[in-house]
Amino acid sequence: MKNINISLILQIVALFFLLVIGYLIFNSSDNWKIVSSELDKAQKELKVSQEVIITTKSQLENSRKEFEQMKSQKDLIIHKRDSLILSFKRKNAKDWDELQRIKDSIKLTNDRLAKDRAVLDDLFGMEE
C-alpha cells in the first residue's frame, strides 16, 4: 500500500511538473513572437543605418574631391600671383644678376603653374 501511495504521489508530482513545463512553453511562444518581432525591427533599422552610412560615405568622398579641387585652384591662384610679382620685378630689375635670378624664378613658377593647371584640368575632367 505504501508503494502505491508513493507511486501515486510521484505521478502527481510528475504531472504537475509537466503542466508547469507546458505552461512555460505556451507562454514562452508568445515571448518568442515578441522577440522575433523586435529582431525584425532591429534588422530593418540596421538596413536603414547601413544605407545612411553608405550615403554619408559617398557625400564625404564628394566633399573630399571638392576640397582637392579648391586646393588646386588656390595653388593655381598663388602661382599666378607669384608670376605677376616676378614679372613686375623683372620690369624693375636694375642689374643683370638680379634679372637672371628673376628669370630662373619665373621659369620655375611657370613650370609649377603648368603642372597645377594640368592637375586642375584632370580634377575637373577638362582636356586640352
Side-chain angles (χ1 to χ4, degrees), residues 12-80:
I12 292 171
V13 170
L15 184 61
F16 175 74
F17 280 126
L18 284 175
L19 289 173
V20 169
I21 291 171
Y23 173 76
L24 291 175
I25 288 174
F26 286 117
N27 192 21
S28 68
S29 69
D30 290 337
N31 290 339
W32 279 113
K33 289 178 186 176
I34 292 170
V35 169
S36 65
S37 69
E38 290 298 319
L39 284 174
D40 290 339
K41 287 179 188 176
Q43 190 175 21
K44 289 176 185 174
E45 289 177 5
L46 183 61
K47 285 180 184 178
V48 168
S49 297
Q50 286 174 339
E51 292 171 359
V52 167
I53 288 174
I54 289 170
T55 303
T56 304
K57 185 177 178 182
S58 68
Q59 288 175 346
L60 283 173
E61 184 65 27
N62 290 339
S63 297
R64 187 184 63 80
K65 286 179 182 178
E66 289 176 6
F67 181 75
E68 287 177 7
Q69 289 174 348
M70 287 188 293
K71 184 176 182 267
S72 296
Q73 286 176 334
K74 177 195 73 136
D75 290 342
L76 181 65
I77 291 169
I78 288 171
H79 292 309
K80 282 183 180 180

Side-chain angles (χ1 to χ4, degrees), residues 70-121:
M70 287 188 293
K71 184 176 182 267
S72 296
Q73 286 176 334
K74 177 195 73 136
D75 290 342
L76 181 65
I77 291 169
I78 288 171
H79 292 309
K80 282 183 180 180
R81 181 204 64 194
D82 291 346
S83 178
L84 289 173
I85 290 171
L86 290 173
S87 176
F88 176 76
K89 285 183 179 180
R90 186 181 81 195
K91 289 178 184 175
N92 296 327
K94 293 184 180 168
D95 65 352
W96 179 254
D97 291 332
E98 184 181 353
L99 188 60
Q100 201 62 26
R101 281 193 303 270
I102 290 172
K103 183 180 173 186
D104 293 341
S105 198
I106 287 173
K107 184 180 182 310
L108 180 66
T109 301
N110 285 338
D111 290 343
R112 285 186 199 158
L113 191 59
K115 202 182 303 181
D116 285 343
R117 279 188 182 139
V119 169
L120 196 57
D121 289 344

